[in-house]
Amino acid sequence: MVITTDQGAKARAIFRGEVIAILSIPGGNKAVQLKHGNFISTYYNLSILYVKKGDSVEAKEELGEIYTNRSNGQTKLKFYLHQNTSKLNPEEWVYQL
């Protein structure tokens, strides 16, 4: 799922959880993965991170600033959600917040 937002927007945790990974994608930006019981949420396209691996986070806690593309001015977060190994539709979760 791609979420388009305003410049300076922050990515926030959908649920309480633990930071299990900080990823740096070659040629891309940073990503944060959170574990929430049997669920894993991934927040990709972050320019600045506010968390580190092992941190506990609360629901709606800010994880980092979403990258703004300087060429086109677009600020987009890529958000993924899995339950165990099954990919879920994150729209059903995001719009409940």
Side-chain angles (χ1 to χ4, degrees):
M1 167 182 207
V2 176
I3 301 169
T4 302
T5 188
D6 298 323
Q7 184 173 351
K10 314 296 190 276
R12 298 183 305 155
I14 58 167
F15 291 113
R16 181 178 181 193
E18 179 186 350
V19 179
I20 59 169
I22 299 293
L23 309 167
S24 185
I25 312 302
N29 291 302
K30 299 173 181 116
V32 173
Q33 284 190 318
L34 302 180
K35 183 168 180 65
H36 323 269
N38 293 331
F39 296 88
I40 294 176
S41 57
T42 304
Y43 309 79
Y44 172 66
N45 202 30
L46 303 176
S47 57
I48 300 171
L49 300 179
Y50 304 152
V51 296
K52 62 186 180 312
K53 186 175 178 179
D55 284 354
S56 292
V57 297
E58 296 297 322
K60 299 186 181 181
E61 184 173 333
E62 292 181 352
L63 305 172
E65 188 171 321
I66 303 168
Y67 173 77
T68 298
N69 183 312
R70 292 183 188 211
S71 298
N72 60 22
Q74 294 181 341
T75 304
K76 294 184 178 185
L77 174 72
K78 296 179 183 177
F79 176 69
Y80 306 97
L81 184 64
H82 289 81
Q83 182 177 21
N84 298 317
T85 59
S86 300
K87 188 174 181 179
L88 302 176
N89 179 357
E91 288 184 22
E92 297 171 8
W93 299 83
V94 171
Y95 296 118
Q96 293 178 14
L97 298 177

